[in-house]
């Protein structure tokens, strides 16, 4: 019997990436950054329980949808995060291949996924896809705006950056 | 006061011989006599020392022994006290309150008697042991004074008024004393002058005692009346009630015995108890099941929610797949090279022939699995909800059943059986026994109350009688006091008139006022005069006291006077001689036995006669104490 989990579905990863860029069209994200934001979309309770936030942000975080769900299956966040890397990358590659996203630092020959700088192109989404993306963003309004607003405003690298505060990636050797 | 002959009016003290011992030898030994005795000599020849010795051996206190006197070990005196000859001995010590030894006989016998025949008495009475003051007072015929005052009235206190010494302040009647008290002075004055009424003093003490007793009885009566109800309740009242209660007690006892005899006692309780236990257990079980179900329902809800979310994601994914598939890959994700137009039979990317939408099918199958799981969970939730709906009323029913059984149990316990009847009787018996006990106490109390009441009435009567007696005696005492004070005051003024004309006030005075309470005297309201005049005034007072005591039988002054230094150092010789002659006149003109002893450094030549002078004319070379 096959059990479906959206975390391991590259298509769902692609939808989530599109949700991020649809909410904030001018968004430019490092690949690593996108992975972390994506992780927060998947497991909103992670934001409230494990991410170090300022008091005002914490108060806003409490209002997020699904922030208290029990059966998300998340026990070890860093382990889950690394397990998801391939799937998320795959989803993003699909979007790159279909021209919906583009990378902005092609001066480097072969940057790793994490080092890529991603942004949304002008091409339109197919109607059905657009429907799904808008609908999910609407029903999780506070979650998506917190992730693309508050979390994006936190500097990504270095001490007290998003990497540090989520504890999902190494930050100590970041050259800022 | 008794008289043994025409000349003698008791009390009397007459010093007959004085001996001072030092290291076993007599350094002073002189004979004295009734009437006038003069010890003469230069200043600082030891005259005052002899006066002190006389004062001390008779029972005086607080003598500051001078150097030579302090080296003496004992002083012995043969005295006549009323009709008895006594020999007194006291050891010379600086400490206070030394005892006195007394020998009933003449000194010649006493000194030969070693220790037997001598008795030693302490300064103050201790228990049954008499003080020497007490012994001497008995010899003087003084009445016994009871109480604190009695123990304060000592030879010393009396001698303070009979010995006019040099040391005491001018203007004082009494010789100074370390523990001087106004009340003592008043008592001594009253006692000696004869207006002290021992019976009055006793009556006052008795009255105080009875008033205290009455007060405490009143208090006790009040308390008793609180318990019993009234002062007039007779003990018989309680006796009647007791009799009727005792009857009832016996009746109840009989009934109780009968009831206990035929008790069978079917107890309906065990059946109800079993039921109650069963219902309780069922109820507990049902409540536990309900709790379990509610937990499972809540838990399942969470699970269902997550399943639904997965389903939704899956649907999204399927739609995205289709949409993205439409866009088709334009470039290779790996190398970035452009791809050709899409073909339908093979995958645009990897050119693998389509095997009939296998991945799509897989997704679709996954979707079905999920939907099935959801449906199954939902059904389970429904059945749980149904069970909850059934259990809740069951629980309510069981609860009310249990409540009912509980009440039944309580009721069953109250149904009186034969055993219960007996128990009821016993309860009443206990109650009655307590009442009986209470009444018995009250009966006793009533009897005690009656006795107290009688005592109270008696006391009130006695108090009234005593109060009357006291006021009568007080009046009488005051009258005598007034009389005697006047006599002494007038006599004293007479002596002052005969003084050399040095004080105008003296010659004009009709009366000298004196006050034991304040220990003072005054002439026409003036107390302080020149030093010599003060000496004259003081000595006149003492002489007047003695003179009046020779005239009245009701005074207790022991007709003894000791004056140390007729004159002070500044007095004119003429004046002193004049006063000396006054003393001699006063003494000579009375037939009543008395003794006056005075010391002087300027004796009137007319008085320097063998029948008056004691010992030689002392000088600094030939002192009173013959110490080598």
């Amino acid at each position: 019997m096959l059990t479906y989990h959206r975390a391991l579905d590259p298509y769902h990863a692609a939808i989530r990436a599109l949700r991020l860029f649809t909410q904030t069209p001018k968004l430019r994200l490092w690949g690593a950054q996108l992975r972390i934001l994506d992780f927060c979309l998947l497991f909103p309770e992670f934001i409230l329980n494990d991410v170090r936030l300022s008091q005002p942000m914490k108060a806003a975080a409490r209002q997020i949808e699904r922030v208290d769900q029990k059966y998300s299956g998340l026990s070890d966040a860093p382990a889950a995060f690394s397990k998801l890397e391939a799937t998320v990358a795959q989803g993003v590659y699909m979007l790159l291949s279909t021209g919906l996203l583009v990378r902005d630092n092609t001066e480097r020959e072969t940057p790793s996924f994490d080092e890529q700088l991603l942004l949304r192109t002008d091409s339109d989404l197919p109607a059905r896809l657009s429907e799904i993306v808008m609908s999910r963003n609407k029903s999780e309004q506070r979650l998506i705006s917190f992730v693309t607003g508050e979390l994006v405003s936190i500097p990504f690298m270095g001490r007290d950056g998003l990497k540090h505060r989520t504890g999902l990636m190494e930050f100590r050797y970041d050259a800022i | 006061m008794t008289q043994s002959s025409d000349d003698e009016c008791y009390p009397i003290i007459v010093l007959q011989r004085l001996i001072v011992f030092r290291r076993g030898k007599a350094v002073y030994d002189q004979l004295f006599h009734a009437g006038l005795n003069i010890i003469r000599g230069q200043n600082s020849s030891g005259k005052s020392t002899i006066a002190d010795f006389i004062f001390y051996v008779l029972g005086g206190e607080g003598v500051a022994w001078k150097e030579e006197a302090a080296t003496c070990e004992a002083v012995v005196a043969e005295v006549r006290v009323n009709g008895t000859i006594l020999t007194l001995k006291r050891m010379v010590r600086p400490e206070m309150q030394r005892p006195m030894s007394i020998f009933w006989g003449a000194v010649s016998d006493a000194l030969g008697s070693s220790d037997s025949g001598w008795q030693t008495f302490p300064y103050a009475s201790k228990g049954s042991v008499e003080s020497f003051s007490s012994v001497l007072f008995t010899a003087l015929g003084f009445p016994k004074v009871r109480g604190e005052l009695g123990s304060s009235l000592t030879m010393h206190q009396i001698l303070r008024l009979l010995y006019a010494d040099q040391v005491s302040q001018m203007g004082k009647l009494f010789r100074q004393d370390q523990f001087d008290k106004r009340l003592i002075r008043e008592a001594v004055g009253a006692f000696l002058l004869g207006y002290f009424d021992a019976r009055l003093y006793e009556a006052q003490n008795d009255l105080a005692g009875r008033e205290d007793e009455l007060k405490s009885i009143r208090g006790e009566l009040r308390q008793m009346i609180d318990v019993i109800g009234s002062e007039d309740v007779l003990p018989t009242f309680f006796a009647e009630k007791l009799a009727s209660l005792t009857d009832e007690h016996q009746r109840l006892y009989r009934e109780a015995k009968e009831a206990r005899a035929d008790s069978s006692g079917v107890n309906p309780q065990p059946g109800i108890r079993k039921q109650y236990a069963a219902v309780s257990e069922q109820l507990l079980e049902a409540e536990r099941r309900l709790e379990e179900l509610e937990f499972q329902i809540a838990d399942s809800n969470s699970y269902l929610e997550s399943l639904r979310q997965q389903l939704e994601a899956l649907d999204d994914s399927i739609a995205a797949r289709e949409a993205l598939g439409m866009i088709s890959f334009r470039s290779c994700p790996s190398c970035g090279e452009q791809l050709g137009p899409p073909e339908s039979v093979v995958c645009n990317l990897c050119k693998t022939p389509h095997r009939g939408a296998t991945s799509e099918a897989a997704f679709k199958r996954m979707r079905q699995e999920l939907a099935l799981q959801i449906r199954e969970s939902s059904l389970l939730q429904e059945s749980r909800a149904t069970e909850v709906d059934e259990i809740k009323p069951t629980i309510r029913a069981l609860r009310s059943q249990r409540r009912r059984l509980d009440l039944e149990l309580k009721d069953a316990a109250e149904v009186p059986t034969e055993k219960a009847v007996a128990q009821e009787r016993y309860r009443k018996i206990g109650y009655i026994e307590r009442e009986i006990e209470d009444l018995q106490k009250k009966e006793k109390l009533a009897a005690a109350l009656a006795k107290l009441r009688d005592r109270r009435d008696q006391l009130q009567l006695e108090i009234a009688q005593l109060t009357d007696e006291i006021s009568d005696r007080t009046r009488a005492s005051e009258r005598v006091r007034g009389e005697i004070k006047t006599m002494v005051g007038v006599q004293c003024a007479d002596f002052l008139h005969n003084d050399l004309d040095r004080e105008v006030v003296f010659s004009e005075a009709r009366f000298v006022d004196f006050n034991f309470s304040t220990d003072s005297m005054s002439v026409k309201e003036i107390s302080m005069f020149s030093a010599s005049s003060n000496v004259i005034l003081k000595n006149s007072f003492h002489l007047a006291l003695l003179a009046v005591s020779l005239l009245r039988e009701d005074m207790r002054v022991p007709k003894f006077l000791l004056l140390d230094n007729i004159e002070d150092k500044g007095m004119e010789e003429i004046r002193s001689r004049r006063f000396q002659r006054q003393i001699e006149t006063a003494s000579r003109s009375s037939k009543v036995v008395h003794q006056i002893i005075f010391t002087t450094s300027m004796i009137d030549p007319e008085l320097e006669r063998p029948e008056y002078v004691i010992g030689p004319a002392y000088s600094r070379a030939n002192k009173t104490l013959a110490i080598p």
Side-chain angles (χ1 to χ4, degrees), chain A residues 1-6 9 11-12 14-15 66 69-71 94-95 97-100 126 128-129 132 136, chain B residues 299 302-303 306 309-310 312-314 316-317 319-321 323-324 327-331 333 363 366 369:
Chain A
M1 182 177 92
L2 286 173
T3 318
Y4 175 76
H5 201 298
R6 58 184 186 263
D9 178 6
Y11 285 96
H12 201 262
I15 295 173
R66 286 197 290 134
Q69 60 189 18
K70 285 198 310 186
Y71 279 95
M94 281 201 283
L95 295 176
S97 300
T98 51
L100 292 170
R128 183 82 183 91
L129 196 50
I132 291 172
R136 295 298 163 247
Chain B
D299 197 48
S302 300
Y303 181 62
S306 72
Q309 280 174 13
Q310 295 292 28
E312 186 184 82
L314 183 51
D316 288 350
S317 175
R321 197 171 199 281
L324 281 176
I327 301 177
S328 81
F329 289 93
R330 292 199 206 109
S331 56
F363 268 90
M366 268 199 279
E369 285 291 337

Side-chain angles (χ1 to χ4, degrees), chain B residues 10 20 25 52 173 225 347 389 502 522 543 556 573:
Chain B
Y10 297 159
V20 178
K25 288 169 66 168
D52 280 344
L173 309 173
I225 291 171
C347 168
D389 286 341
R502 291 293 176 261
S522 61
L543 190 58
R556 291 202 186 92
E573 204 167 328

Side-chain angles (χ1 to χ4, degrees), chain B residues 12-16 33-34 78-81 560 593-595:
Chain B
I12 302 173
I13 294 179
V14 178
L15 175 67
Q16 294 182 318
H33 48 263
E78 182 185 289
V79 294
R80 183 150 86 88
V81 177
F560 174 85
V593 172
H594 63 275
Q595 184 177 46

